[in-house]
Amino acid sequence: MRTLLYIVIFFGFLVGCNTTKPAVTANSNEQQDATKLSDTVTIANDDLEYEIIIIEPGFNAWLVSRAKPEGFYSQQYLENKNRLYVTEWNSRVLQPQRYNSNLYEIQIDYQPQIDYGYEVNYKLYNYFIYFQLTYKQQLAGFVPRI
């Protein structure tokens, strides 16, 4: 009898710990499409056959809710900032004894002479901003602003 009581209590806790699911309404369909429910962002430029895959919890929601809209920055501005951030990022990847190797896992192959297009530069730039704000890092020596 005592074992049965423990089993019932265990399942009670199990059911009580279930997370709530967001309600889906007709108005929220656009927002759901934008955030994609998953935390994987694929940035592709089909003309160059170039692709960036960002797997970061919360980045989609942040991109939709807090980032400046596409078109706010010029492509030249984004390319200049991305060059700075990628250079520092790659430097930190090569110094795992100094920087957290869980944050800086792999190098980014960003070549300034290649035109990656606006979307790739926009999302890469915003990922760097998100990363710095979320993990309290400074890639270019100053606190990023939104």
Side-chain angles (χ1 to χ4, degrees), residues 44-61:
N45 185 333
D46 295 332
D47 296 336
L48 297 174
E49 298 178 8
Y50 189 80
E51 182 175 69
I52 299 173
I53 299 174
I54 299 172
I55 303 171
E56 183 73 37
F59 177 63
N60 281 338

Side-chain angles (χ1 to χ4, degrees), residues 4 15-16 20 22 27 29 35 43 67-68 80 84 91 111 131 143:
L4 181 61
V15 171
T20 60
N27 294 334
N29 284 339
T35 57
I43 308 165
K68 299 285 187 197
N80 290 336
L84 288 171
S91 172
Q111 300 174 17
F131 173 83
V143 178

Side-chain angles (χ1 to χ4, degrees), residues 6-77:
Y6 289 133
I7 292 172
V8 169
I9 290 172
F10 173 74
F11 282 112
F13 280 118
L14 192 62
V15 171
C17 291
N18 189 14
T19 60
T20 60
K21 299 192 178 20
V24 177
T25 63
N27 294 334
S28 69
N29 284 339
E30 289 177 16
Q31 190 175 23
Q32 277 189 342
D33 288 342
T35 57
K36 299 282 189 203
L37 296 178
S38 74
D39 289 320
T40 302
V41 175
T42 301
I43 308 165
N45 185 333
D46 295 332
D47 296 336
L48 297 174
E49 298 178 8
Y50 189 80
E51 182 175 69
I52 299 173
I53 299 174
I54 299 172
I55 303 171
E56 183 73 37
F59 177 63
N60 281 338
W62 183 89
L63 186 62
V64 171
S65 64
R66 297 201 49 210
K68 299 285 187 197
E70 285 191 42
F72 185 83
Y73 303 108
S74 70
Q75 184 170 339
Q76 183 66 41
Y77 175 85

Side-chain angles (χ1 to χ4, degrees), residues 49-120:
E49 298 178 8
Y50 189 80
E51 182 175 69
I52 299 173
I53 299 174
I54 299 172
I55 303 171
E56 183 73 37
F59 177 63
N60 281 338
W62 183 89
L63 186 62
V64 171
S65 64
R66 297 201 49 210
K68 299 285 187 197
E70 285 191 42
F72 185 83
Y73 303 108
S74 70
Q75 184 170 339
Q76 183 66 41
Y77 175 85
L78 296 173
E79 289 172 348
N80 290 336
K81 289 294 190 174
N82 285 340
R83 269 187 229 114
L84 288 171
Y85 290 146
V86 166
T87 301
E88 181 61 25
W89 179 280
N90 289 340
S91 172
R92 293 181 183 200
V93 168
L94 297 173
Q95 301 177 57
Q97 70 283 1
R98 185 170 178 198
Y99 297 102
N100 186 343
S101 61
N102 291 327
L103 292 178
Y104 304 99
E105 294 179 3
I106 59 172
Q107 286 189 331
I108 299 172
D109 183 21
Y110 184 86
Q111 300 174 17
Q113 66 274 15
I114 296 176
D115 179 12
Y116 294 104
Y118 188 85
E119 183 182 10
V120 170

